[in-house]
Protein backbone atom coordinates (compact mmCIF):
# COMPACT_ATOMS: atom_id res chain seq x y z
CA UNK A 1 0.00 0.00 0.00
CA UNK A 2 2.81 2.45 0.85
CA UNK A 3 5.21 1.28 -1.84
CA UNK A 4 6.69 3.94 -4.12
CA UNK A 5 8.42 3.36 -7.43
CA UNK A 6 12.14 2.58 -7.47
CA UNK A 7 12.18 1.36 -3.86
CA UNK A 8 13.34 -1.88 -2.31
CA UNK A 9 10.52 -4.11 -1.07
CA UNK A 10 10.66 -6.74 1.68
CA UNK A 11 8.48 -9.67 0.62
CA UNK A 12 6.99 -12.24 2.96
CA UNK A 13 5.47 -14.26 0.12
CA UNK A 14 5.73 -14.74 -3.63
CA UNK A 15 2.39 -12.94 -4.04
CA UNK A 16 3.76 -9.88 -2.23
CA UNK A 17 6.81 -9.92 -4.47
CA UNK A 18 4.75 -10.02 -7.68
CA UNK A 19 2.54 -7.17 -6.49
CA UNK A 20 5.61 -5.10 -5.62
CA UNK A 21 6.99 -5.73 -9.07
CA UNK A 22 3.73 -4.53 -10.64
CA UNK A 23 3.86 -1.34 -8.56
CA UNK A 24 7.37 -0.43 -9.66
CA UNK A 25 9.69 -1.87 -6.99
CA UNK A 26 13.35 -1.76 -7.98
CA UNK A 27 14.44 -4.86 -6.04
CA UNK A 28 12.83 -7.46 -3.76
CA UNK A 29 14.42 -8.75 -0.55
CA UNK A 30 13.14 -12.10 0.66
CA UNK A 31 13.97 -15.17 2.73
CA UNK A 32 13.78 -17.87 0.03
CA UNK A 33 10.04 -17.30 -0.56
CA UNK A 34 10.43 -16.00 -4.13
CA UNK A 35 11.49 -17.95 -7.22
CA UNK A 36 13.59 -15.64 -9.43
CA UNK A 37 12.24 -17.26 -12.62
CA UNK A 38 8.88 -15.56 -12.00
CA UNK A 39 10.41 -12.11 -11.53
CA UNK A 40 11.59 -9.44 -13.99
CA UNK A 41 13.42 -7.42 -11.33
CA UNK A 42 16.39 -8.44 -9.16
CA UNK A 43 15.67 -10.50 -6.06
CA UNK A 44 18.02 -10.83 -3.11
CA UNK A 45 17.91 -13.72 -0.65
CA UNK A 46 18.60 -12.58 2.93
CA UNK A 47 18.69 -15.55 5.33
CA UNK A 48 16.86 -14.79 8.58
CA UNK A 49 15.35 -11.65 7.09
CA UNK A 50 12.47 -11.43 9.59
CA UNK A 51 14.87 -11.27 12.53
CA UNK A 52 17.06 -8.72 10.76
CA UNK A 53 14.24 -6.36 9.76
CA UNK A 54 14.31 -4.13 12.89
CA UNK A 55 18.04 -3.50 12.50
CA UNK A 56 17.76 -3.08 8.72
CA UNK A 57 14.90 -0.58 9.02
CA UNK A 58 16.55 1.43 11.80
CA UNK A 59 19.79 1.70 9.86
CA UNK A 60 18.01 2.63 6.61
CA UNK A 61 16.15 5.46 8.37
CA UNK A 62 19.25 6.62 10.32
CA UNK A 63 17.96 5.50 13.74
CA UNK A 64 15.24 8.17 14.13
CA UNK A 65 14.46 7.29 17.76
CA UNK A 66 18.00 8.40 18.67
CA UNK A 67 17.19 11.87 17.36
CA UNK A 68 14.30 12.71 19.71
CA UNK A 69 12.72 12.00 23.09
CA UNK A 70 10.46 8.96 22.85
CA UNK A 71 7.87 7.81 25.38
CA UNK A 72 6.31 4.37 24.91
CA UNK A 73 2.95 4.08 26.67
CA UNK A 74 1.67 0.59 27.52
CA UNK A 75 -1.35 -0.82 29.34
CA UNK A 76 -4.85 -1.94 28.51
CA UNK A 77 -6.51 1.07 30.19
CA UNK A 78 -5.63 4.71 29.62
CA UNK A 79 -2.89 4.10 27.06
CA UNK A 80 -4.43 6.18 24.27
CA UNK A 81 -5.34 9.09 26.55
CA UNK A 82 -1.89 9.21 28.18
CA UNK A 83 -0.10 9.25 24.83
CA UNK A 84 -2.49 12.01 23.69
CA UNK A 85 -1.77 14.07 26.83
CA UNK A 86 2.02 13.72 26.43
CA UNK A 87 2.07 14.75 22.77
CA UNK A 88 -0.47 17.54 23.29
CA UNK A 89 1.47 19.04 26.19
CA UNK A 90 4.85 18.92 24.48
CA UNK A 91 3.47 20.39 21.25
CA UNK A 92 1.88 23.27 23.14
CA UNK A 93 4.71 24.03 25.55
CA UNK A 94 8.08 22.84 24.29
CA UNK A 95 8.04 22.38 20.52
CA UNK A 96 6.93 19.99 17.80
CA UNK A 97 5.69 16.59 19.02
CA UNK A 98 4.72 13.36 17.31
CA UNK A 99 1.98 10.88 18.19
CA UNK A 100 1.77 7.27 17.03
CA UNK A 101 -1.22 5.15 18.03
CA UNK A 102 -4.95 4.60 17.72
CA UNK A 103 -5.72 8.25 17.03
CA UNK A 104 -3.32 8.41 14.10
CA UNK A 105 0.34 9.01 13.45
CA UNK A 106 2.57 11.95 12.62
CA UNK A 107 2.93 15.46 14.00
CA UNK A 108 0.35 16.13 16.70
CA UNK A 109 -1.02 19.24 15.02
CA UNK A 110 -1.60 17.47 11.69
CA UNK A 111 -2.17 13.78 12.41
CA UNK A 112 -2.81 11.22 9.72
CA UNK A 113 -5.96 10.01 11.42
CA UNK A 114 -6.11 6.65 9.60
CA UNK A 115 -4.81 4.04 12.11
CA UNK A 116 -2.36 1.56 10.61
CA UNK A 117 -0.96 -1.71 11.93
CA UNK A 118 2.79 -1.37 12.36
CA UNK A 119 5.66 -3.68 11.64
CA UNK A 120 9.33 -2.92 12.26
CA UNK A 121 9.76 -1.23 8.88
CA UNK A 122 6.65 0.97 8.96
CA UNK A 123 7.30 2.04 12.57
CA UNK A 124 10.83 3.19 11.75
CA UNK A 125 9.49 5.03 8.69
CA UNK A 126 6.85 6.76 10.82
CA UNK A 127 9.46 7.81 13.40
CA UNK A 128 11.69 9.10 10.59
CA UNK A 129 8.81 11.14 9.18
CA UNK A 130 8.28 12.71 12.60
CA UNK A 131 11.95 13.64 12.83
CA UNK A 132 11.90 15.08 9.30
CA UNK A 133 8.90 17.23 10.28
CA UNK A 134 10.82 18.65 13.24
CA UNK A 135 9.51 16.54 16.12
CA UNK A 136 11.63 16.77 19.24
CA UNK A 137 9.48 14.33 21.20
CA UNK A 138 7.00 11.60 20.33
CA UNK A 139 4.52 9.50 22.29
CA UNK A 140 4.02 5.95 21.05
CA UNK A 141 1.28 3.53 22.08
CA UNK A 142 3.05 0.24 22.78
CA UNK A 143 0.67 -2.70 22.90
CA UNK A 144 1.80 -6.29 23.50
CA UNK A 145 1.55 -7.08 19.79
CA UNK A 146 4.05 -4.35 18.94
CA UNK A 147 6.54 -5.96 21.29
CA UNK A 148 5.88 -9.51 20.14
CA UNK A 149 6.37 -8.56 16.48
CA UNK A 150 9.77 -7.09 17.34
CA UNK A 151 8.72 -3.60 16.24
CA UNK A 152 10.48 -1.93 19.17
CA UNK A 153 13.79 -3.70 18.62
CA UNK A 154 16.34 -1.05 17.65
CA UNK A 155 14.06 1.71 19.02
CA UNK A 156 15.77 3.74 21.76
CA UNK A 157 13.25 4.64 24.48
CA UNK A 158 13.61 7.45 26.97
CA UNK A 159 10.51 6.63 29.03
CA UNK A 160 8.31 3.55 29.30
CA UNK A 161 4.90 4.18 30.87
CA UNK A 162 2.49 1.62 32.31
CA UNK A 163 -1.02 3.04 32.76
CA UNK A 164 -3.04 0.03 33.90
CA UNK A 165 -4.39 -3.30 32.79
CA UNK A 166 -7.66 -4.52 31.35
CA UNK A 167 -9.07 -8.04 31.10
CA UNK A 168 -7.59 -9.81 28.09
CA UNK A 169 -8.54 -13.10 26.44
CA UNK A 170 -4.83 -13.63 25.85
CA UNK A 171 -4.02 -13.70 29.54
CA UNK A 172 -2.06 -11.29 31.73
CA UNK A 173 -0.83 -8.43 29.55
CA UNK A 174 1.74 -7.36 32.13
CA UNK A 175 3.77 -10.50 31.45
CA UNK A 176 3.67 -9.69 27.75
CA UNK A 177 4.68 -6.09 28.47
CA UNK A 178 7.60 -6.97 30.75
CA UNK A 179 10.23 -6.72 27.97
CA UNK A 180 9.39 -3.03 27.61
CA UNK A 181 10.64 -2.47 31.15
CA UNK A 182 13.79 -4.56 31.03
CA UNK A 183 15.05 -5.80 27.64
CA UNK A 184 14.26 -2.55 25.83
CA UNK A 185 16.08 -0.62 28.59
CA UNK A 186 14.38 2.78 28.72
CA UNK A 187 16.14 5.39 30.82
CA UNK A 188 13.01 5.84 32.95
CA UNK A 189 9.89 3.85 33.80
CA UNK A 190 6.66 5.53 34.97
CA UNK A 191 4.38 2.93 36.54
CA UNK A 192 0.87 2.91 38.01
CA UNK A 193 1.71 1.60 41.48
CA UNK A 194 -1.88 1.43 42.70
CA UNK A 195 -2.25 -1.81 40.75
CA UNK A 196 -0.69 -5.17 41.59
CA UNK A 197 0.45 -5.49 37.97
CA UNK A 198 2.23 -2.14 38.20
CA UNK A 199 3.99 -3.14 41.40
CA UNK A 200 5.18 -6.31 39.68
CA UNK A 201 6.50 -4.42 36.64
CA UNK A 202 8.29 -1.91 38.87
CA UNK A 203 9.95 -4.65 40.92
CA UNK A 204 11.15 -6.41 37.75
CA UNK A 205 12.48 -3.31 35.97
CA UNK A 206 15.90 -3.84 34.45
CA UNK A 207 19.12 -2.70 36.04
CA UNK A 208 19.86 0.98 35.54
CA UNK A 209 16.23 1.94 34.85
CA UNK A 210 14.97 4.67 37.18
CA UNK A 211 11.39 3.93 38.22
CA UNK A 212 8.86 6.63 39.10
CA UNK A 213 5.65 5.34 40.68
CA UNK A 214 2.33 7.19 40.44
CA UNK A 215 -1.14 6.66 41.84
CA UNK A 216 -3.78 7.92 44.20
CA UNK A 217 -2.45 6.51 47.46
CA UNK A 218 0.31 7.69 49.77
CA UNK A 219 2.77 4.97 48.80
CA UNK A 220 3.62 6.50 45.41
CA UNK A 221 6.12 9.20 44.53
CA UNK A 222 3.75 11.06 42.21
CA UNK A 223 0.34 11.28 43.87
CA UNK A 224 -3.00 12.72 42.93
CA UNK A 225 -6.34 13.09 44.65
CA UNK A 226 -9.71 14.45 43.61
CA UNK A 227 -10.98 17.31 45.76
CA UNK A 228 -14.30 17.90 44.01
CA UNK A 229 -16.18 17.06 40.81
CA UNK A 230 -18.93 18.90 38.98
CA UNK A 231 -20.37 19.12 35.48
CA UNK A 232 -17.54 21.37 34.31
CA UNK A 233 -14.62 19.19 35.43
CA UNK A 234 -12.81 18.50 38.67
CA UNK A 235 -10.42 20.04 41.18
CA UNK A 236 -7.40 17.90 42.00
CA UNK A 237 -4.36 17.98 44.26
CA UNK A 238 -0.98 16.70 43.06
CA UNK A 239 2.21 15.98 45.04
CA UNK A 240 5.54 15.01 43.50
CA UNK A 241 9.31 15.06 44.16
CA UNK A 242 9.41 18.35 42.19
CA UNK A 243 6.57 20.13 43.96
CA UNK A 244 2.81 20.07 44.06
CA UNK A 245 -0.34 22.06 44.32
CA UNK A 246 -4.02 22.21 43.48
CA UNK A 247 -5.47 22.80 40.04
CA UNK A 248 -8.70 22.74 38.09
CA UNK A 249 -9.12 20.60 34.97
CA UNK A 250 -11.98 20.38 32.50
CA UNK A 251 -11.41 16.64 32.06
CA UNK A 252 -14.18 14.35 33.29
CA UNK A 253 -13.95 10.99 35.03
CA UNK A 254 -11.78 9.86 37.91
CA UNK A 255 -9.81 7.72 35.47
CA UNK A 256 -8.59 10.94 33.81
CA UNK A 257 -6.53 11.67 36.90
CA UNK A 258 -4.49 8.50 36.31
CA UNK A 259 -3.76 9.60 32.74
CA UNK A 260 -2.73 13.07 33.90
CA UNK A 261 -0.36 11.62 36.50
CA UNK A 262 1.21 9.24 33.97
CA UNK A 263 1.68 12.04 31.46
CA UNK A 264 3.09 14.36 34.12
CA UNK A 265 5.71 11.80 35.11
CA UNK A 266 6.79 11.21 31.52
CA UNK A 267 6.91 14.92 30.67
CA UNK A 268 9.04 15.95 33.62
CA UNK A 269 11.46 13.06 33.09
CA UNK A 270 11.84 14.09 29.44
CA UNK A 271 12.86 17.58 30.49
CA UNK A 272 9.75 19.74 30.85
CA UNK A 273 10.00 22.04 33.90
CA UNK A 274 7.55 21.08 36.64
CA UNK A 275 5.74 24.43 36.66
CA UNK A 276 5.02 23.97 32.94
CA UNK A 277 3.85 20.43 33.57
CA UNK A 278 1.33 21.67 36.14
CA UNK A 279 0.08 24.32 33.73
CA UNK A 280 -0.35 21.76 30.95
CA UNK A 281 -2.39 19.51 33.24
CA UNK A 282 -4.68 22.44 33.98
CA UNK A 283 -5.39 23.23 30.30
CA UNK A 284 -5.40 19.64 28.99
CA UNK A 285 -7.92 18.83 26.27
CA UNK A 286 -9.62 15.42 26.25
CA UNK A 287 -9.14 12.74 23.65
CA UNK A 288 -11.49 13.53 20.75
CA UNK A 289 -14.83 11.83 21.28
CA UNK A 290 -14.10 10.70 24.82
CA UNK A 291 -16.09 12.55 27.47
CA UNK A 292 -15.51 15.83 25.65
CA UNK A 293 -17.34 18.44 27.73
CA UNK A 294 -18.97 21.55 26.30
CA UNK A 295 -20.00 23.64 29.29
CA UNK A 296 -23.11 25.78 28.95
CA UNK A 297 -23.20 29.38 30.13
CA UNK A 298 -25.28 30.56 33.06
CA UNK A 299 -28.12 28.22 33.89
CA UNK A 300 -27.44 25.95 30.94
CA UNK A 301 -26.42 22.26 31.22
CA UNK A 302 -23.08 20.72 30.34
CA UNK A 303 -23.15 18.73 27.11
CA UNK A 304 -20.74 15.81 26.84
CA UNK A 305 -19.84 13.97 23.64
CA UNK A 306 -18.60 10.40 23.90
CA UNK A 307 -18.35 8.03 20.94
CA UNK A 308 -19.23 5.01 23.08
CA UNK A 309 -20.59 2.34 20.74
CA UNK A 310 -20.65 -0.73 23.00
CA UNK A 311 -22.62 -1.36 26.20
CA UNK A 312 -19.36 -1.57 28.17
CA UNK A 313 -18.08 1.75 26.86
CA UNK A 314 -21.42 3.44 27.53
CA UNK A 315 -21.54 2.08 31.08
CA UNK A 316 -18.02 3.39 31.68
CA UNK A 317 -18.99 6.86 30.42
CA UNK A 318 -22.22 7.06 32.43
CA UNK A 319 -20.60 5.87 35.66
CA UNK A 320 -17.82 8.43 35.20
CA UNK A 321 -20.36 11.21 34.69
CA UNK A 322 -22.50 10.25 37.69
CA UNK A 323 -19.57 11.15 39.94
CA UNK A 324 -19.75 14.71 38.51
CA UNK A 325 -23.52 14.95 38.73
CA UNK A 326 -25.40 17.51 40.87
CA UNK A 327 -28.60 17.41 38.86
CA UNK A 328 -30.14 15.13 36.24
CA UNK A 329 -28.31 12.94 33.73
CA UNK A 330 -29.72 12.79 30.20
CA UNK A 331 -28.46 10.24 27.70
CA UNK A 332 -29.04 10.77 23.99
CA UNK A 333 -28.25 7.61 22.03
CA UNK A 334 -26.85 8.80 18.72
CA UNK A 335 -26.33 5.32 17.35
CA UNK A 336 -28.14 2.51 15.56
CA UNK A 337 -27.50 -1.05 14.54
CA UNK A 338 -27.79 -4.31 16.41
CA UNK A 339 -26.42 -2.86 19.67
CA UNK A 340 -29.07 -0.19 20.11
CA UNK A 341 -31.28 -2.30 22.39
CA UNK A 342 -28.35 -3.28 24.62
CA UNK A 343 -27.15 0.33 24.73
CA UNK A 344 -30.66 1.49 25.65
CA UNK A 345 -30.77 -0.98 28.56
CA UNK A 346 -27.49 0.34 29.95
CA UNK A 347 -28.58 3.94 29.48
CA UNK A 348 -31.94 3.32 31.18
CA UNK A 349 -30.27 1.85 34.25
CA UNK A 350 -27.80 4.72 34.73
CA UNK A 351 -29.58 7.82 33.34
CA UNK A 352 -32.56 9.87 34.45
CA UNK A 353 -33.83 10.21 30.89
CA UNK A 354 -32.92 8.37 27.68
CA UNK A 355 -33.70 9.50 24.15
CA UNK A 356 -32.74 7.69 20.94
CA UNK A 357 -32.18 9.77 17.82
CA UNK A 358 -31.67 9.18 14.14
CA UNK A 359 -29.59 11.23 11.79
CA UNK A 360 -32.65 13.17 10.63
CA UNK A 361 -34.06 13.83 14.12
CA UNK A 362 -30.78 14.47 15.95
CA UNK A 363 -30.64 18.28 15.78
CA UNK A 364 -34.29 18.76 16.73
CA UNK A 365 -34.08 16.36 19.70
CA UNK A 366 -30.76 17.80 20.88
CA UNK A 367 -32.20 21.30 20.80
CA UNK A 368 -35.25 20.24 22.81
CA UNK A 369 -33.24 18.39 25.48
CA UNK A 370 -30.69 21.19 25.84
CA UNK A 371 -33.51 23.68 26.39
CA UNK A 372 -35.19 21.41 28.94
CA UNK A 373 -32.04 20.62 30.97
CA UNK A 374 -30.83 23.00 33.68
CA UNK A 375 -27.54 24.30 35.06
CA UNK A 376 -26.36 21.32 37.10
CA UNK A 377 -27.61 18.74 34.59
CA UNK A 378 -25.40 16.77 32.22
CA UNK A 379 -26.49 15.78 28.72
CA UNK A 380 -24.46 12.90 27.28
CA UNK A 381 -24.57 12.44 23.51
CA UNK A 382 -23.31 8.88 23.08
CA UNK A 383 -22.24 7.13 19.88
CA UNK A 384 -21.78 8.61 16.44
CA UNK A 385 -18.04 7.90 16.36
CA UNK A 386 -18.00 7.50 12.60
CA UNK A 387 -19.10 9.65 9.70
CA UNK A 388 -19.69 13.38 9.62
CA UNK A 389 -20.91 13.60 13.24
CA UNK A 390 -17.44 12.62 14.49
CA UNK A 391 -16.06 15.65 12.63
CA UNK A 392 -18.71 18.32 13.24
CA UNK A 393 -20.64 17.08 16.29
CA UNK A 394 -18.93 19.40 18.77
CA UNK A 395 -19.58 22.46 16.62
CA UNK A 396 -23.23 21.50 16.26
CA UNK A 397 -23.69 21.04 20.02
CA UNK A 398 -21.99 24.38 20.76
CA UNK A 399 -24.36 26.10 18.34
CA UNK A 400 -27.41 24.45 19.90
CA UNK A 401 -26.25 25.40 23.40
CA UNK A 402 -25.91 29.02 22.32
CA UNK A 403 -29.42 28.92 20.87
CA UNK A 404 -30.78 27.41 24.08
CA UNK A 405 -29.18 30.07 26.28
Amino acid sequence: RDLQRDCAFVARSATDARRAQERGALVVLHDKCVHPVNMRIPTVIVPGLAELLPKLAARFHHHPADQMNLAAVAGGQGRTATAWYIAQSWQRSQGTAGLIGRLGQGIFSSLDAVPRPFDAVSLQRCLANCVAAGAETAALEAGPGLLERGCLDEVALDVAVYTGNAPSPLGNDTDRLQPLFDRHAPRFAVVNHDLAEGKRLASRAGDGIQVLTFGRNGATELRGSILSQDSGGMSIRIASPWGGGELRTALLGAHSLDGLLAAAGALVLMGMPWNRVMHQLEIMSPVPGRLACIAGEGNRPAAVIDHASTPQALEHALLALRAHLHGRLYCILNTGGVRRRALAEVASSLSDQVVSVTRSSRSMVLSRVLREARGHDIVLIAGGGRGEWSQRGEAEVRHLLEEAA
Side-chain angles (χ1 to χ4, degrees):
R1 180 176 54 188
D2 297 322
L3 179 65
Q4 299 177 9
R5 293 189 65 85
D6 298 330
C7 289
F9 182 79
V10 177
R12 293 188 175 90
S13 69
T15 300
D16 286 346
R18 288 193 296 272
R19 288 176 178 170
Q21 177 179 258
E22 293 168 0
R23 296 187 183 188
L26 195 64
V27 62
V28 169
L29 309 181
H30 65 100
D31 190 357
K32 299 181 181 179
C33 69
V34 179
H35 198 291
V37 172
N38 300 323
M39 302 294 294
R40 300 186 304 274
I41 59 176
T43 63
V44 179
I45 296 176
V46 182
L49 179 58
E51 291 74 22
L52 293 172
L53 270 182
K55 185 174 292 186
L56 177 68
R59 184 171 179 180
F60 179 83
H61 289 289
H62 307 291
H63 295 272
D66 292 347
Q67 302 174 51
M68 60 180 169
N69 289 320
L70 184 58
V73 185
Q77 293 178 328
R79 181 177 71 207
T80 298
T82 300
W84 173 264
Y85 297 157
I86 292 170
Q88 174 189 163
S89 299
W90 197 275
Q91 177 85 23
R92 193 164 43 203
S93 173
Q94 299 291 101
T96 306
L99 178 65
I100 303 171
R102 292 182 181 178
L103 298 173
Q105 52 279 319
I107 298 304
F108 181 81
S109 58
S110 55
L111 284 176
D112 176 1
V114 179
R116 300 175 183 269
F118 283 107
D119 55 25
V121 175
S122 57
L123 178 59
Q124 291 287 350
R125 181 171 61 247
C126 186
L127 291 170
N129 289 340
C130 288
V131 170
E136 303 162 352
T137 291
L140 164 69
E141 288 190 55
L146 207 65
L147 289 162
E148 291 163 359
R149 293 193 299 273
C151 299
L152 292 183
D153 295 350
E154 304 297 321
V155 174
L157 300 177
D158 294 280
V159 183
V161 182
Y162 175 69
T163 57
N165 205 7
S168 170
L170 299 177
N172 191 341
D173 272 357
T174 54
D175 294 334
R176 302 166 67 203
L177 293 173
Q178 186 65 48
L180 185 64
F181 296 87
D182 48 41
R183 182 167 61 84
H184 288 284
R187 290 192 297 149
F188 304 103
V190 179
V191 177
N192 188 337
H193 213 250
D194 283 347
L195 306 175
E197 299 89 347
K199 291 182 173 68
R200 185 160 59 249
L201 283 174
S203 66
R204 296 178 182 175
D207 294 339
I209 299 175
Q210 298 183 47
V211 178
L212 174 70
T213 59
F214 73 88
R216 303 188 215 174
N217 64 54
T220 59
E221 298 162 282
L222 178 56
R223 302 184 302 281
S225 58
I226 297 174
L227 303 177
S228 63
Q229 294 173 279
D230 56 44
S231 59
M234 54 187 176
S235 298
I236 59 177
R237 178 183 291 123
I238 292 180
S240 80
W242 304 276
E246 297 179 7
L247 58 90
R248 174 79 179 173
T249 174
L251 298 182
L252 300 175
H255 62 279
S256 296
L257 176 56
D258 296 329
L260 290 176
L261 292 172
L267 289 166
V268 73
L269 292 174
M270 289 192 294
M272 184 180 289
W274 179 251
N275 62 335
R276 290 191 189 178
V277 172
M278 288 288 285
H279 179 60
Q280 291 306 312
L281 301 187
E282 195 166 27
I283 62 175
M284 197 73 74
S285 297
V287 173
R290 295 194 184 178
L291 293 181
C293 181
I294 306 166
E297 299 294 332
N299 194 36
R300 304 317 310 159
V304 178
I305 295 176
D306 193 282
H307 292 166
S309 60
T310 66
Q312 294 81 4
L314 180 59
E315 180 181 24
H316 180 267
L318 288 168
L319 287 173
L321 290 177
R322 292 206 71 85
H324 291 263
L325 193 62
H326 297 280
R328 289 169 58 82
L329 179 56
Y330 296 76
C331 182
I332 298 177
L333 291 177
N334 180 32
T335 185
V338 296
R339 291 175 173 167
R340 172 169 284 200
R341 177 175 295 180
L343 290 167
E345 290 177 358
V346 171
S348 298
S349 66
L350 294 171
S351 308
D352 297 298
Q353 184 172 328
V354 182
V355 183
S356 293
V357 298
T358 63
R359 182 176 178 179
S360 60
S361 68
R362 183 174 56 218
S363 292
M364 180 180 64
V365 173
L366 274 173
S367 179
R368 175 177 61 78
V369 172
L370 291 173
R371 290 177 186 276
E372 175 185 326
R374 292 294 176 257
H376 295 295
D377 297 343
I378 297 176
V379 179
L380 172 66
I381 304 103
R386 297 181 180 178
E388 61 176 331
W389 171 258
S390 65
Q391 303 298 320
R392 66 176 183 86
E394 185 171 331
E396 180 177 332
V397 172
R398 287 187 185 279
H399 174 70
L400 293 172
L401 270 172
E402 290 172 0
E403 284 189 339

